[in-house]
Amino acid sequence: MANNFSIKHQPGFTAIAATCFAVLYLPIIVLVIYAFNAASSTSEWGGFSLRWFQSAYQNTQVIDATLRSFQIGSIAAVLSTIFATMAALATTRTASYPGLTFKYAAINQPLMVPEIVTGVALLIFFSRIKIFTGYSGLGYLIAAHTAFCIPFAYLPIRARLENMDLTLERAAADLYATAWKTFRRITLPLLWPGILAGLMLAFVISLDDVVITEFVKSGGQDTLPTYMLGQIRRGITPEINAISTAFLLLSVAIVTLFFFVSRKRD
Amino acid sequence: MATAEEVAKAAERRDVRDRWLLSAPALLVIFLAATGPLLIVLVYSFLTPGAYGDVKWQFSSDAWTSVLLERDIFDDTLSLAAAHVTIFLRSIKLAVVTTIATLALGFPTAYFMATRSEKTRDLWLFLITIPFWTNLLIRTFAVLQIIRNEGIINTILLKLGIISAPIQILYTDTAILIGMAYVYLPLMVLPIYASMEKLDFRLVEAGYDLYATRFRVLWRIIFPLVKPGVIAGSILVFIPALGAYVTPSVLGGGKNMMLSNLIELQFGQGRNWPLGSALSITVMIIVMVALLAYVRNAGKSGVRHG
């Protein structure tokens, strides 16, 4: 091939791409910088300070909402990953069988419906159940989060399974290993990176959810995002910048980890 | 004694049964906490609103009438329906413009990324993925800080003397548009990039060899080949933009409602759950139509997208 660069070059594209990346990161960077602002208002710079981080840390509502987010996120992530792993085992490496297409559609269903619609649907459904059972704990939020996390956990697990070599499992079966033993000693260890990636993805997705949580939560069940939404609607304080910055760091850390774990694929 | 064929058949049946058992928990959870409740929404859209929210179990098609048509039976029903039409049109307009804006920015970006060397490509991909996984609310809040009257844009313009009073962007349709284009941009870039990465540049070279201009190569060779990615990206942006809740409620204020805010209103202050349900189903129908159009289109070009 001749001069590669000139072939691939399109006038103006690089400039637009540069703008794109600048635009993507500029607001986030400004947000983070203003989290360290000593001034009480977000419109002027009053010097470097950690006071808003401290104030967020001492805010019991923030701490409660964070702990609730982690509680819901970890339970929902574990449950959805277990269910997604089972479902992935049931839907991969097989000839088509009656119901397979139905299963794909069902598992991906939460991705197809706009969040607002799912939120409203769960509001109606759960408010009925609340009347019948009188239970108004975190169970509803956990169930809802588990449901919409399943397709996200399912994706990397299924991808990993489909790329997996069958020979080792066949060899195990040839050596008279039981199905369970083959699964535990061969399949599971090979599948583990996929499961871990699915778990992290599910956790981030649960942690990020605003809309469905907003509709499903009962009084006093704010998660970190719904608490922040309420605060932003009421007016901005630099404390929200501090909370956002901490939250952002956490997401970036998990996603970076996810990148490395799922890289192990081949 | 069973024949070998019968044994094989029995094993196959057992296998299918095991596979159903294995997928049962996932299917059950999704049915209980996602799919099933949608059916209840459908039922609710045909009931009568209760006085304090919820419903009376009495059939009524009023909710559906007020979604689609203007009816002048009572005093203010007429104006309400007109407001719905405005909100529908605004939502569709904003979703379409957001899609176009992200495409205009995202296509060159994806092209730029795909034409980097293999090593740096991963870095660009990572850079695009980070905002994608950052909480949408946080990103919306970041935009709010930039575009509000005391924000960085107005401050700079004021200091430079270009404007004498801050431009009011926040709480307008433009603010919603900027916010949505910002938060959904990675959703456009990623699928286009995926198609672009597989592009065979020998075809581009052939185009140039045959004296095609840059624009002609772009339009007649590159664009048709990455079209599945463009369609996938457009769908991925259009659907959440149409049902967007967080961005319009943070950047649009109370007045500039989109469909999701209207739906929320019916379940809150409006206390008209059937109407809220009917509106939800309507949104879902629009989304399904868009998805169907996508599936047919993707099927035609013979490219599968996950």
Side-chain angles (χ1 to χ4, degrees), chain A residues 18 25 31 52 55 58 116 147 179 194 204 229 251:
Chain A
Y25 280 91
L31 176 97
W52 295 111
S55 120
Q58 283 163 353
I116 179 82
V204 173
L229 180 66
S251 304

Side-chain angles (χ1 to χ4, degrees), chain A residues 110-111 115 143-152 205-206 209 212-213, chain B residues 30:
Chain A
L111 298 178
E115 272 191 291
H145 280 232
T146 306
F148 70 68
C149 285
I150 286 176
F152 291 97
I205 292 292
S206 163
D209 180 74
I212 292 172
T213 311
Chain B
I30 288 176

